[in-house]
């Protein structure tokens, strides 16, 4: 029927757009390709609009992927095909390797993790019992976490990210980083909480300006409606709690697409 055809059209268009970018990268023998989103571009409406998602993923994230491939080529010794494990491994030394590795390597990892930690508000979730207990222990409640995280997001001057993660002593904490830095990077020249991040929020203006303009606080507040707590809980239980950095894949997130 006409309705069925139109309902299939959007996911097919999204897949075609992402595959075209991926095949372009493969044609030039590049290490990393832009990962597909595990949901449609309009899935996060009304909290993040479709146009922002398209531009953010297809333009901004794609630019970081291309820049990372260029940096790896210049450095030499990169594998023929990059995966989530290799991308995660790169973060530790990215800041001390080169500005390009720091900016583009961080940009790719941060965005790849950001996407898979989100889900449609029509599929609400909550922290697992294990993560929930850790949140209560550190912040008093989920509302306490929201307050601390929001403060980190709003106090980050200019562009950057807010993070929830596990510190070396096993505690949950929040922090923020500038530009495309993340807490996995060693040698950053400013103060932050060292941690393995399990949840991050992009507070660059390109992440929210079309819908929220200069109202970052409204964007941060909206973010809590689209967190995929199933995925964040897995990040905590299977990786960060065990001292392992989180690979940015949608595995275990409950998304229809498992990449």
């Amino acid at each position: 029927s006409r309705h069925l055809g139109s309902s299939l059209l959007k996911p097919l268009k999204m897949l075609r757009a992402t595959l075209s970018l991926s095949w372009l990268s493969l044609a030039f023998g590049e290490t990393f390709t832009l990962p597909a989103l595990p949901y449609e571009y309009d899935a996060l409406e009304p909290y993040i609009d479709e146009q922002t998602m398209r531009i953010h993923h297809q333009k901004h994230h794609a630019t970081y992927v291309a820049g990372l491939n260029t940096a790896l080529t210049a450095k030499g010794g990169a594998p023929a095909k990059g995966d989530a494990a290799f991308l995660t491994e790169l973060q530790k030394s990215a800041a001390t390797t080169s500005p390009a590795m720091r900016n583009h390597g961080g940009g790719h990892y941060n965005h790849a993790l950001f996407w898979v930690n989100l889900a449609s508000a029509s599929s609400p979730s909550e922290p697992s019992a294990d993560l929930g207990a850790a949140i209560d222990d550190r912040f008093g409640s989920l509302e306490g976490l929201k307050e601390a995280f929001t403060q980190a997001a709003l106090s980050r001057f200019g562009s950057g990210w807010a993070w929830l993660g596990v510190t070396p002593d096993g505690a949950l904490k929040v922090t923020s980083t500038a530009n495309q830095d993340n807490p996995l990077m060693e040698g950053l020249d400013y103060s932050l909480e060292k941690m393995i991040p399990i949840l991050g929020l992009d507070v660059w203006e390109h992440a929210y300006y079309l819908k929220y303009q200069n109202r970052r606080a409204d964007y941060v507040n909206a973010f809590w409606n689209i967190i995929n707590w199933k995925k964040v809980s897995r990040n905590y239980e299977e990786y960060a709690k065990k001292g392992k950095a989180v690979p940015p894949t949608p595995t275990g997130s409950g998304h229809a697409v498992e990449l």
Side-chain angles (χ1 to χ4, degrees):
S1 69
R2 180 179 299 178
H3 176 73
L4 179 60
S6 63
S7 68
L8 292 172
L9 189 58
K10 274 199 276 190
L12 286 174
K13 284 183 177 178
M14 182 184 74
L15 180 61
R16 183 173 62 184
T18 305
L19 286 177
S20 66
L21 290 165
S22 298
W23 280 110
L24 180 62
S25 296
L26 288 172
F28 287 91
E30 295 177 345
T31 300
F32 288 104
T33 58
L34 181 69
L37 296 181
Y39 38 74
E40 296 182 25
Y41 284 107
D42 64 354
L44 306 182
E45 294 269 15
Y47 302 104
I48 301 181
D49 59 285
E50 179 180 353
Q51 185 180 10
T52 292
M53 288 296 294
R54 288 185 180 277
I55 295 171
H56 199 174
H57 180 247
Q58 295 181 0
K59 303 299 183 182
H60 291 280
H61 189 177
T63 297
Y64 294 122
V65 174
L68 176 57
N69 285 329
T70 298
L72 287 169
T73 298
K75 181 176 179 289
K81 180 173 174 55
D83 58 15
F86 178 54
L87 176 60
T88 305
E89 182 184 336
L90 286 176
Q91 302 310 303
K92 183 176 182 179
S93 61
T96 55
T97 299
S98 70
M101 288 289 289
R102 176 178 181 172
N103 295 330
H104 296 291
H108 183 17
Y109 178 86
N110 296 352
H111 284 86
L113 185 63
F114 181 52
W115 304 134
V116 298
N117 281 337
L118 303 178
S120 171
S122 64
S123 303
S125 59
E126 58 185 29
S128 67
D130 196 6
L131 178 57
I135 290 172
D136 290 346
D137 182 61
R138 178 65 182 87
F139 301 102
S141 66
L142 184 58
E143 285 302 315
L145 166 60
K146 289 181 180 180
E147 291 177 11
F149 191 94
T150 296
Q151 176 61 27
L154 297 183
S155 61
R156 169 49 58 188
F157 183 78
S159 301
W161 291 75
W163 303 97
L164 170 66
V166 178
T167 61
D169 63 0
L172 285 179
K173 285 191 177 179
V174 297
T175 195
S176 72
T177 54
N179 300 315
Q180 292 299 344
D181 295 344
N182 63 60
L184 295 176
M185 294 179 178
E186 296 185 349
L188 295 177
D189 53 358
Y190 55 89
S191 177
L192 74 156
E193 292 284 354
K194 292 300 296 180
M195 62 172 59
I196 296 172
I198 61 173
L199 176 68
L201 175 61
D202 189 347
V203 294
W204 284 62
E205 285 191 341
H206 66 236
Y208 62 88
Y209 203 84
L210 289 180
K211 182 175 180 68
Y212 296 99
Q213 290 80 52
N214 65 330
R215 305 188 309 276
R216 183 188 286 187
D218 291 349
Y219 163 68
V220 175
N221 186 58
F223 169 67
W224 297 97
N225 294 286
I226 50 174
I227 295 175
N228 186 337
W229 285 110
K230 181 175 182 180
K231 177 61 175 172
V232 178
S233 296
R234 188 175 190 274
N235 295 344
Y236 173 70
E237 294 168 7
E238 297 297 324
Y239 293 97
K241 186 179 178 182
K242 300 175 181 178
K244 299 186 293 184
V246 179
T249 74
T251 301
S253 63
H255 289 302
V257 178
E258 293 277 341
L259 302 179

